[in-house]
Structure formats: C-alpha cells, structure tokens
Amino acid sequence: MTSSAAPSAPPPEPIPGVATPAQPAEGAPVAAAPAVAAEPALPARPASSAGEEPKNLNMETFAHNLAQLVEESGKAVAAYLAPREAGRADDLADDIADALKTVGHVAEYWMADPQRVVEAQTRLMGGYLSVWANTMKKLAGEKVEPVAAPDPRDVRFKDEGWRESPIFDALKQAYLVTSNWANDMVTEAEGLDPHVRHKAEFLVKQISNAVSPSNFVLTNPELIRETLSSSGENLVKGMRNLAEDLTEGGGTLKIRQTDRNAFEVGRNLGITPGKVVYENELMQLIQYAPTTPSVKKTPVLIVPPWINKFYILDLTPEKSLIKWLVDQGVTVFTISWVNPDARLAAKGFDDYMRDGIMAALDMVALASGERRVHTMGYCVGGTLLASTLAYMAETGDDRIASTTFLTTQIDFTHAGDLKVFVDEEQLQVMERKMKQMGYLEGSKMASAFNMLRSNDLIWPYVVNNYMKGKAPFPFDLLYWNSTSTRMPAANHSYYLRNCYLTNNIAKGKAELAGVKLDMHKVSVPTYSLATREDHIAPPKSVYVGANLLSGPVRYVLAGSGHIAGVVNPPAKMKYQYWSDGPTGPDYDLWLEGAQEHKGSWWPDWVNWFGSWHPEEVPAREVGGGRLTPIEDAPGRYVKAQS
C-alpha cells in the first residue's frame, strides 16, 4: 500500500481481540494450540452427509438422554428461580421498559401513515415470496441466486447444511430478509431523535442476533446432526452447563467463554517478576525487576482501566507488553486497582486521580530517583490520565514528561454503540441502583461490552456450551475478559456523565478537585494508539480526542481490535499498523495518507520513546532502597474476585 491510498481494512476477526469457541487458544495448555486466527476452524462434520440418517443414532439411548434432559432442565430452572424467590436477583424491568419505549418511538412513525405500513408489509411479504419461489426452483434442480446472502465473514452459516439443504437454505434466507427489513424499518423512520435511532438500531441488531436460526437445535443443521449422532447426549451436557453457569452467576446467566480452571493469576498469568512497592485503599503500585544491565533514565508508569484487571498487559510471558518493555530496558511501574466494595462508594474521579495517579507518581519518584516520568494509560485508564494531565497543566505540575494513550477516548462524540446505554433516564436508573449497593457490578459492564459484538461474544458460546454441550477452549484473553471488577458509584457516575452523556471533559466544562479541565493546555509529547476494529474506542473517536492536545502527537492505528490490537507481540508478526498520515482534524484524510507497516506497533513505540528519552542509567533495584517491597507481583488486589 502506498501513502496515497487508503489502507485496506484487514479481514476482521470473528471476535475482535479474542477467540471463538471452536478455536484452540494461543499459549493455552492444549496440544498444538494455534495462534488466534482470522477465522475460526469449523467443527469436524460427522461421516453422514446432509440428508442421510446418522449412523450412530440409538433410540434407547436417545430416550434415556431425553429423560436426563428433563432432569437437568429442572436443575437449571431451580438455579434461575432460587435467587429470585429470595429477592437477590437483578430486576430487568427497567431495561425492558426502556427497550419497549424505544421500539414504541419507531412504531409511532410507521403507524402514523397506514399507507406506509402497507408498503412496508408488502416489501417483507415480497421477500418471503421470492425466497419461497427460489426454494421451489432449487428443489426442482435449478440453480438460483439467493434472495439474501450472509456476509462471507458470518460464521453462523458456515456449515455446509445451510447450502446443501433447500429447506435450511430457505430458512436462512427468510431470516436474513426479516432482519434486513427490521433494520430498514429503523433507518427509514424519519424524524427520530438521533439517540433514539441509535438505540433502536442497536436493539434491533440484538434481537436479530438472538433469533437467528443458528441458535436453535431444530433450525440448525449442524446441531441436528450433533444431536442425532450423539443420541441427544449433547443436549444433556448442554443443560448441565446451563445449570452450572446460572448457579455461578447467582441466577443470572454467566456464559463461560473459556475454561476457567486452566488459568490462575500469579501462576500462569501476570507472572513477570516484580514487587508491590506501595499500596493504599484504591490501588497497589508494582515495580518490575530489570532484565538488562542498563535502563532508560525515564521510568514508565502504566495506568490500566479500573473496569478490568491490569494483567491484560501481562498475560503469558510471550504476550506480555510489560515483560517486553522490561526486556527493552524500560523501568516499568503499573497501578493495580482495587476491586472496590460498598465502603468505597463515595470515591470519585478526583480520588482516583489523587490516590491513584498522583500517589503513584510520588512513589515512582522515590523508587527510581527520577522526578519526571512517562505515563501510559489504557482505555478508561487513559481517560483518567488525560484528565489528570489537564489538571496538572492547570496547577503547574510538570512531573509527567511525556505520555502514551492506548485505545483512549478523550472526546466522546464518536464513541460508538456504548452510547446507547447512556441517557438521562438510563443514568438515573443506574445511579439509583448504585446508590443502593454502593457500586456497579463488573458483570454489568462486561455484559454491555459483550453485547457490542453479540454474534462473536455471546451466541457462539450459547451454541457451543448449551446446544453442543461442549466446554470452551482454554484461552487467556477470554479468561481475563471474564474477571471484571466493580466500580464505585461516585466514580462511575462521574465517568458516564462527563464523558458519554455530556462530553464535558472534551468541552472544557468538567472539573477535578475544583479545577476546570482544559485539554488544549496538555502540551507533553504524546503517542496515541487506536485499533482499526475497535468497538469500544473507535479509531475516529481516539483521533479526534488526540487532536485536542497542543503538544506533538504521534497517532498510530493498529490492526485488529481493542485487545488484540494492543496485545500484539512483535515475534508473532501479526496484523499491521498505520502511521504518518497528514496532520489535521480530519481522520479520513489522515487514514488516506497513512503508511502501512507489517507487524506489531511495539517497536515503533520504543523508537518513539527513545527519541524523547535517550538517556540510560544502570539498572535500578526494585524499591530503589527507599520503598520496602510489600509482596510479590502481581499482588493480592488483582486476585480479588467480584
């Protein structure tokens, strides 16, 4: 690709940044486990071809398994009902009411004009009739073009049965006709408030994904073969898995995306050698042991998101960004946020700044002997870091010499589908619940993130775990994804209101500790990384936020998604990154002129960092002789479960 051509989008992963249930995981304890693939491997098909009776069907075993299925179903129902009878389960009434209200706005538009309704119904029925006519022709042996075809990257319909059988092909096409029509009903509803339209589009997508024929045993040819070939044993195992996950979630379905017993933080995840050198009620500070005789004079402080655990940057040794930085001669410190409970309900954004970043800066200076440091913020940790930089610029604090933002939004104008969860009504409901508990359960945010890519992060696991009755493969990224943390009520309310709802941080209207924040006053050298397929921090959103800063900014766009685009070690030579597009406020112009480079962005960052901080000193002792180590990394805060 030349610098004058727009970078072509790499084939998106079925799950941006994570793996699929049919795919062994890179680095997992299974034989010959391949790296994360751009497309999942298809399950092996039974010997019988479509239309043939499976040879392994045993009617006696099948009847026995059906009886067991009923028994396991009772256990699943009990696991669902028990917490509700005790009044412990979450009430979804507010969410359902909001969804119905949103759909009602769309319905009002169509019902206001009977002729419009007739035209819409005619269009839908015309699609069905075309599918029916094509099916009749196909049954007669004719070759016909499909009325509606799935995206080639849509793994739901990869099984040959969807193409070989005219009946299942018709079912697939009827579903696609319906889902496309439902989406058109929203996009063609004129005069809708933009936020209501966005919510309606998102809701329709969720419903369409949920009712796909690939999600049900009787309408999925692969699941039918699986059921008949195993004489129904898959359904028994699936119902047992369902009951276990309902029990694990306290009556709420907690879908397993990986084998949770395969990993343990401190045993095979987060094992880069280091020490906790400081702690307070909000965080522990970890310093990692050097592996080189000399190190960069300027140390690096990592500020991870508090909605997840920091070891995403320190997974297995071959995937650890922290270990890689240490091996490049960088003195690395990282914050490990506490998993808060109701006692920390009143802790807000300014507390996370003072007792998190500012306290860490004090300790880094003691341990390293350097007053000025480089900071690196990931996702919402980067948003907090940007706010802290604006606060420090206003108060004359120059301890941060330069900074890096990893998939960080500062301006939330283009924040993507997460904005559908944030409006005044929804926030009031959430704040009322948080006031009762003192925090927001981490599972709530995890569910929201999963819904952004429900066809990748929800329904494949429903099919694999509960229909096929299989256990998910061990995969470190998905294990990390399942270990979410709680959020203090005050902190989360500030974040949602000043970022997603009002965008006050970008507008210069937000305050921290009584100081108004002006991002234009942040003038330190900045490295801003976005990822091409990011559904949490879209690359345009990251770009617009980076352009608020007045200092020199290097914006880099990595391939893949929010996780895999960041956690991409150079040795794998996966994906690519784009850089050096023309400066200016227009993201599309930057993208058009950007240059593509193969492989990881990590070496590019080291070169950038070295250009600003070339001085080296002898390797530092952990704690620097001034801080007494408390315990080995990764510390106990990160191990606390929600």
Side-chain angles (χ1 to χ4, degrees):
M1 176 176 298
T2 63
S3 59
S4 61
S8 58
E13 295 174 289
I15 303 175
V18 293
T20 61
Q23 176 185 0
E26 179 182 15
V30 291
V36 182
E39 187 172 296
L42 291 174
R45 190 175 179 191
S48 57
S49 60
E52 293 181 9
E53 183 180 354
K55 296 180 175 61
N56 297 331
L57 178 62
N58 184 305
M59 290 306 299
E60 183 178 349
T61 304
F62 188 70
H64 174 73
N65 283 332
L66 288 181
Q68 272 197 299
L69 178 62
V70 173
E71 181 180 346
E72 295 295 337
S73 299
K75 295 178 182 177
V77 171
Y80 175 81
L81 292 178
R84 286 162 175 79
E85 292 172 348
R88 297 194 305 269
D90 187 27
D91 184 8
L92 298 177
D94 292 313
D95 297 328
I96 295 172
D98 184 73
L100 292 175
K101 184 177 180 180
T102 300
V103 173
H105 286 302
V106 178
E108 285 175 5
Y109 167 81
W110 289 98
M111 298 303 292
D113 186 345
Q115 180 61 32
R116 200 156 49 204
V117 174
V118 171
E119 291 174 357
Q121 291 176 335
T122 301
R123 190 192 322 166
L124 178 62
M125 294 309 299
Y128 288 157
L129 289 173
S130 296
V131 171
W132 175 257
N134 275 12
T135 302
M136 294 299 100
K137 292 178 181 178
K138 193 170 183 179
L139 286 169
E142 295 185 39
K143 289 186 177 180
V144 292
E145 291 295 319
V147 176
D151 188 293
R153 297 168 296 185
D154 190 342
V155 298
R156 294 176 298 173
F157 304 108
K158 288 287 188 180
D159 186 77
E160 295 176 11
W162 294 107
R163 296 181 295 277
E164 293 178 358
S165 167
I167 303 302
F168 286 113
D169 183 45
L171 184 62
K172 172 189 67 180
Q173 291 189 61
Y175 161 73
L176 293 172
V177 166
T178 305
S179 58
N180 291 338
W181 175 84
N183 184 66
D184 291 342
M185 293 289 282
V186 176
T187 57
E188 295 174 10
E190 300 175 357
L192 281 182
D193 175 83
H195 180 66
V196 173
R197 182 189 300 276
H198 193 181
K199 286 173 65 177
E201 290 173 346
F202 184 80
L203 183 61
V204 166
K205 181 171 69 174
Q206 298 308 311
I207 296 173
S208 296
N209 292 347
V211 301
S212 170
S214 59
N215 296 335
F216 303 94
V217 173
L218 296 180
T219 54
N220 184 328
E222 183 183 7
L223 292 179
I224 290 176
R225 291 198 311 271
E226 185 89 26
T227 301
L228 296 179
S229 296
S230 69
S231 301
E233 185 178 356
N234 60 309
L235 300 182
V236 176
K237 291 180 179 178
M239 191 59 67
R240 189 175 297 130
N241 290 342
L242 178 63
E244 291 174 358
D245 289 353
L246 283 168
T247 301
E248 175 74 17
T252 300
L253 184 58
K254 187 175 181 179
I255 302 173
R256 274 175 289 182
Q257 296 173 326
T258 185
D259 180 358
R260 297 177 187 141
N261 297 320
F263 302 102
E264 181 183 350
V265 179
R267 177 174 62 85
N268 54 5
L269 298 176
I271 59 174
T272 299
K275 300 285 185 181
V276 174
V277 294
Y278 172 78
E279 67 180 43
N280 58 33
E281 62 181 348
L282 278 184
M283 63 91 173
Q284 288 187 317
L285 181 68
I286 301 169
Q287 181 180 0
Y288 292 93
T291 60
T292 55
S294 64
V295 296
K296 293 294 184 183
K297 186 173 185 288
T298 302
V300 170
L301 169 64
I302 297 176
V303 184
W306 58 83
I307 60 178
N308 299 110
K309 303 197 178 217
F310 84 88
Y311 70 88
I312 184 59
L313 299 177
D314 188 27
L315 286 168
T316 56
E318 63 273 11
K319 290 182 182 177
S320 172
L321 174 60
I322 288 174
K323 182 182 184 302
W324 191 84
L325 290 175
V326 170
D327 290 343
Q328 304 308 304
V330 178
T331 301
V332 177
F333 296 80
T334 190
I335 290 172
S336 173
W337 298 107
V338 73
N339 193 356
D341 56 23
R343 291 171 295 180
L344 300 178
K347 294 295 183 181
F349 226 61
D350 50 355
D351 293 296
Y352 272 69
M353 176 186 72
R354 281 192 301 253
D355 297 336
I357 295 176
M358 305 291 268
L361 289 173
D362 292 338
M363 297 303 112
V364 169
L366 285 175
S368 68
E370 294 297 322
R371 191 181 73 86
R372 305 197 75 203
V373 307
H374 177 87
T375 51
M376 178 181 287
Y378 189 5
C379 190
V380 65
T383 305
L384 174 65
L385 176 58
S387 302
T388 301
L389 280 162
Y391 174 90
M392 296 173 74
E394 197 67 47
T395 57
D397 189 338
D398 67 346
R399 287 179 293 166
I400 294 180
S402 57
T403 195
T404 295
F405 296 123
L406 306 178
T407 62
T408 292
Q409 296 178 100
I410 303 172
D411 187 307
F412 285 73
T413 304
H414 307 286
D417 282 347
L418 276 177
K419 294 184 76 172
V420 305
F421 298 103
V422 183
D423 52 45
E424 187 59 44
E425 290 184 33
Q426 291 184 90
L427 270 181
Q428 288 183 10
V429 170
M430 183 183 298
E431 286 171 340
R432 185 179 71 246
K433 293 180 178 179
M434 288 195 298
K435 185 176 181 180
Q436 295 171 350
M437 301 183 68
Y439 55 84
L440 180 72
E441 279 288 1
S443 59
K444 298 297 181 184
M445 286 295 290
S447 295
F449 290 146
N450 287 341
M451 288 177 68
L452 298 181
R453 294 294 176 101
S454 59
N455 268 349
D456 300 320
L457 293 171
I458 296 177
W459 298 111
Y461 299 96
V462 169
V463 172
N464 183 76
N465 299 0
Y466 311 136
M467 309 293 179
K468 295 181 179 179
K470 297 179 179 179
F473 285 102
F475 191 47
D476 47 15
L477 284 176
L478 288 174
Y479 178 84
W480 167 84
N481 191 52
S482 70
T483 57
S484 55
T485 62
R486 295 179 289 264
M487 285 143 281
N491 186 48
H492 199 54
S493 180
Y494 180 97
Y495 171 59
L496 293 180
R497 286 192 171 277
N498 286 279
C499 295
Y500 283 96
L501 184 64
T502 64
N503 203 23
N504 277 343
I505 290 178
K507 293 176 181 177
K509 296 180 179 180
E511 291 186 359
L512 272 183
V515 173
K516 186 154 288 188
L517 306 179
D518 184 353
M519 286 298 158
H520 298 291
K521 293 185 178 181
V522 177
S523 59
V524 300
T526 300
Y527 189 102
S528 180
L529 178 83
T531 54
R532 184 98 188 222
E533 307 299 330
D534 201 329
H535 55 288
I536 295 173
K540 182 176 181 179
S541 184
V542 174
Y543 184 86
V544 171
N547 271 271
L548 294 176
L549 311 178
S550 61
V553 176
R554 178 168 178 77
Y555 178 84
V556 174
L557 178 65
S560 193
H562 191 74
I563 300 172
V566 174
V567 184
N568 182 25
K572 300 298 181 184
M573 279 304 294
K574 292 180 62 178
Y575 313 127
Q576 65 280 94
Y577 67 93
W578 292 268
S579 64
D580 303 310
T583 58
D586 193 316
Y587 169 74
D588 293 325
L589 286 179
W590 180 92
L591 187 61
E592 184 178 348
Q595 298 180 31
E596 180 180 353
H597 309 274
K598 298 299 182 183
S600 173
W601 60 273
W602 294 7
D604 181 75
W605 181 89
V606 164
N607 291 334
W608 174 87
F609 179 73
S611 70
W612 288 100
H613 308 289
E615 301 91 350
E616 295 196 359
V617 297
R620 299 179 171 104
E621 172 192 359
V622 172
R626 301 178 184 89
L627 297 179
T628 302
I630 298 171
E631 59 182 330
D632 289 336
R636 64 189 187 282
Y637 280 19
V638 74
K639 297 178 182 180
Q641 299 295 318
S642 296

